[in-house]
Amino acid sequence: MPVDPLIAPLLAAVNARQEQVPLDVAERRAARSGDYSGFVEDEPAVAEIWEEKIPGPDITVRIYRPAASTRGAMVLYHGGGWWMGSPDDSDRRARAIAGRAGVVVVNVDYRLAPEFPFPTPAEDAYAALAWTVAQAGRLGFDPARVAVGGESAGGNLAAAVCLLARERGGPVPVLQVLEIPALDLTLGSPSVKTYGQGYVLPEEELRWCVRTYLGDHDPADPVASPLHAADLTGLPPAVILTAECDPLADDGRLYADRLAAAGVPVTFREFAGHVHGSHTLTRLLPSAREWRAAVVDAVVSHA
């Protein structure tokens, strides 16, 4: 299926900007993509939003607590290729989950490459999960009902956290929600070539992000590439949502297949006509609102 016609004008604008992408990380961060907030719906009001520091890694988390009593929580990791981004980028997603699912959301400002390359972002993500579970009594939710989730690089970190929690005997999430996740940093998935040019996330840019994050580290390390983990048994139930016209599309599909083969309950859906990141355009696309509803429903069912 071709790209959704409602997305096409935005895609053309993104492609035009990518012709002048600077090489320096600082310049890239300053020259971030255009503001599409006008295409994103406002989310329900959340009673309390504040920030705290996690000791140890000394990272900041933004906490969203809804007015109604909550059962569980979700630890959320923003996207940005492991080298850019902040809780501001996932703020509306956090508000949607907190307000619509009625859970506490902990939105994590993990440290970024290249200043903090692999495995620091993954370790920060794991530390945020452990901290969240430890704060359950104070924050008012059941510590046995904590989910993790994220978009793109954040989806990668959420999957890595589940592997680390299983291996370390730490708090295991009740659910992992992986949206447009990057799960194979060897970039061996067929969709990298199929959609690696002209669909928001060029293959060249994707390879640059991986080099910036990993340096000389083995991209097949399971913490970097959960798809390459030898054993996926015992992991939390997963909801994996991908965009059809995305170089990362096959990562999610292949991981869903492997989880299912390992006996892990998994729900997989590929959204036709979507590109990388278009799932956030809830004011523009009915299918983006459907995508958001799938995330909220999953959190309601588990957390």
Side-chain angles (χ1 to χ4, degrees):
M1 177 179 174
V3 170
D4 189 306
L6 292 173
I7 299 172
L10 294 177
L11 181 58
V14 169
N15 289 336
R17 281 197 303 274
Q18 285 174 341
E19 296 176 359
Q20 301 177 351
V21 174
L23 297 178
D24 179 78
V25 171
E27 291 178 352
R28 282 180 178 237
R29 287 172 178 160
R32 297 188 60 178
S33 297
D35 181 11
Y36 297 120
S37 60
F39 300 102
V40 183
E41 286 186 335
D42 294 331
E43 295 297 344
V46 178
E48 294 181 274
I49 301 175
W50 73 97
E51 293 187 349
E52 295 189 18
K53 285 281 191 180
I54 296 180
D58 192 32
I59 57 175
T60 299
V61 293
R62 186 177 299 171
I63 302 166
Y64 305 70
R65 185 160 57 191
S69 60
T70 63
R71 295 178 304 168
M74 184 173 196
V75 184
L76 189 65
Y77 309 109
H78 66 79
W82 306 277
W83 65 274
M84 72 173 185
S86 75
D88 289 342
D89 296 287
S90 49
D91 181 74
R92 293 200 189 190
R93 196 45 135 219
R95 291 171 185 267
I97 294 169
R100 296 176 185 271
V103 299
V104 171
V105 174
V106 176
N107 193 356
V108 184
D109 193 12
Y110 56 89
R111 289 172 288 181
L112 301 172
E115 295 88 349
F116 298 97
F118 179 89
T120 298
E123 291 292 351
D124 285 354
Y126 179 78
L129 168 66
W131 179 88
T132 298
V133 171
Q135 302 301 312
R138 179 172 66 89
L139 297 179
F141 58 84
D142 184 345
R145 301 179 68 94
V146 179
V148 295
E151 303 164 322
S152 194
N156 168 279
L157 296 177
V161 162
C162 293
L163 288 167
L164 289 171
R166 184 193 63 179
E167 296 307 315
R168 295 174 178 179
V172 177
V174 294
L175 174 70
Q176 50 182 323
V177 180
L178 313 180
E179 303 182 65
I180 54 171
L183 300 169
D184 179 9
L185 301 197
T186 71
L187 303 183
S189 292
S191 55
V192 172
K193 294 295 184 184
T194 304
Y195 296 107
Q197 193 61 42
Y199 295 92
V200 175
L201 183 58
E203 179 183 352
E204 181 181 357
E205 175 75 8
L206 183 55
R207 292 188 181 279
W208 181 89
C209 290
V210 170
R211 289 195 304 271
T212 301
Y213 178 40
L214 295 182
D216 295 329
H217 192 80
D218 181 5
D221 184 322
V223 179
S225 296
L227 185 60
H228 287 268
D231 178 16
L232 298 180
T233 59
L235 292 176
V239 172
I240 302 176
L241 306 175
T242 63
E244 177 191 14
C245 304
D246 182 355
L248 300 178
D250 287 341
D251 284 23
R253 181 185 303 108
L254 293 169
Y255 199 57
D257 290 344
R258 285 207 57 213
L259 287 170
V264 177
V266 58
T267 300
F268 171 76
R269 183 171 177 185
E270 180 180 273
F271 280 74
H274 274 258
V275 297
H276 193 79
S278 61
H279 66 291
T280 63
L281 306 179
T282 49
R283 194 184 298 276
L284 178 66
L285 302 171
S287 55
R289 296 192 290 274
E290 189 177 345
W291 184 313
R292 178 186 60 196
V295 171
V296 170
D297 290 348
V299 175
V300 169
S301 297
H302 290 83

